[in-house]
Amino acid sequence: MIIPFWVLFGISVAAGFIGAMSGMGGGILLIPALTLLGMDIKHAIAISIVSVIVTSSGSASAYVREHITNLKVGMFLEMFTIVGALVGASITLVSSQRPLIILFGVVLLASWATLFVRRHEDYVSAEHQDKLTEWLELRGHYYDQAAGRTIHYKAVRAYLGGPLMFIAGLIAGLLGIGAGALKVLIHDLVMGLPPKVSTTTSNLIIGVTALAGTSVYLSAGLIDPRQVAPVMLGVMLGALLGTRLLVRLSNQRVRKFFLVVLLVLGLEMIVRGIRGA
């Protein structure tokens, strides 16, 4: 089924904006929208994962220029997400996704509940690092425009962050989304990064993860250039708009925005899975 150019473009702008603001990629909005318009789920996943690359390209470069993204954390964790994405995309081609979609929704809601309880907590950097994280030099600082000061931080528990990122990459390749929701949560809850660093570093990682998954879908012939072109243009525009807004917001506002998107995404995934999307 061919969806009109301007319909795809409009949906993609909204997807790119939400993806850049939340660090989750544009797939969270694109897949339900495309399937609602009658597109086959596997083709929607293939197009969506291309949009994740564009979202990352449109926002990650700006975040790196602002010195918010932690490149060392991103490069370390990408090794795990790439392998996970390749495995996940390969599984998608030969299996049913319904139980996994429901499970993903449950995981997201559980994550939302955890962050909701902590929503009023201000970020406090860890004082001490474990030996592996310290050896990897996973620490940094950035100037926070909203707070008007430089934020210094230290990452922790890299030994847990890596394996958990493999799972996030697996889900990304499997469902055609950035899985940024899980990536941001791993950065925030497991590795102790500030919300802005979590979101911006997630934007960097999701692009590399999606690129690995895209190679599998491309070889299977599921990516239609006629449908991908308006998606790429729209997502790029939306991502640039979202990036401009995020750098001016406080860490608390970024976390609250992420909570809303996480709740909506979790409920939508469960409903879609139960209905047999």
Side-chain angles (χ1 to χ4, degrees):
M1 176 183 178
I2 302 297
I3 300 173
F5 179 95
W6 291 108
V7 174
L8 275 177
F9 179 77
I11 293 172
S12 301
V13 171
F17 180 83
I18 293 175
M21 279 289 294
S22 61
M24 292 191 288
I28 62 170
L29 181 60
L30 269 179
I31 292 178
L34 293 177
T35 53
L36 184 64
L37 291 171
M39 183 176 290
D40 172 78
I41 183 66
K42 288 191 176 182
H43 284 86
I45 287 173
I47 290 176
S48 171
I49 204 166
V50 174
S51 80
V52 174
I53 300 174
V54 180
T55 301
S56 177
S57 301
S59 55
S61 59
Y63 295 143
V64 171
R65 187 173 61 249
E66 295 286 342
H67 303 291
I68 302 177
T69 301
N70 191 306
L71 293 176
K72 286 187 178 180
V73 171
M75 296 296 286
F76 169 69
L77 297 177
E78 281 170 1
M79 296 187 296
F80 298 90
T81 61
I82 288 172
V83 177
L86 290 171
V87 174
S90 300
I91 293 173
T92 294
L93 298 179
V94 297
S95 66
S96 170
Q97 299 173 80
R98 184 176 178 182
L100 292 166
I101 290 175
I102 296 174
L103 177 61
F104 185 42
V106 172
V107 170
L108 291 181
L109 291 183
S111 303
W112 172 86
T114 303
L115 279 181
F116 183 79
V117 171
R118 299 178 55 190
R119 68 191 184 281
H120 295 308
E121 296 181 14
D122 290 326
Y123 171 76
V124 179
S125 177
E127 293 184 6
H128 304 287
Q129 292 178 297
D130 54 273
K131 291 184 179 180
L132 175 62
T133 311
E134 185 178 10
W135 179 74
L136 291 169
E137 298 182 353
L138 302 185
R139 56 183 177 269
H141 64 274
Y142 70 96
Y143 180 76
D144 193 313
Q145 293 184 19
R149 61 188 177 90
T150 299
I151 306 294
H152 295 267
Y153 61 90
K154 295 178 180 179
V156 294
R157 294 185 288 273
Y159 56 88
L160 286 178
L164 289 173
M165 277 293 177
F166 170 82
I167 297 174
L170 181 73
I171 292 173
L174 195 65
L175 301 178
I177 60 178
L182 290 181
K183 293 182 176 73
V184 170
L185 287 169
I186 293 168
H187 292 158
D188 191 334
L189 300 182
V190 177
M191 300 186 69
L193 299 178
K196 282 189 179 181
V197 177
S198 298
T199 297
T200 55
T201 305
S202 171
N203 264 299
L204 174 69
I205 295 173
I206 63 175
V208 180
T209 307
L211 185 60
T214 297
S215 64
V216 177
Y217 293 117
L218 186 62
S219 64
L222 292 175
I223 298 177
D224 184 349
R226 295 171 297 176
Q227 304 282 273
V228 169
V231 169
M232 292 179 66
L233 292 172
V235 167
M236 178 67 78
L237 176 59
L240 291 174
L241 294 174
T243 300
R244 289 180 177 274
L245 179 58
L246 181 136
V247 296
R248 293 174 173 80
L249 297 178
S250 66
N251 276 320
Q252 282 285 357
R253 287 182 179 271
V254 173
R255 176 170 284 180
K256 288 177 180 178
F257 177 81
F258 180 61
L259 275 171
V260 172
V261 176
L262 193 62
L263 177 61
V264 173
L265 174 60
L267 292 173
E268 188 274 332
M269 293 289 277
I270 290 176
V271 171
R272 184 154 57 94
I274 291 174
R275 289 180 176 176

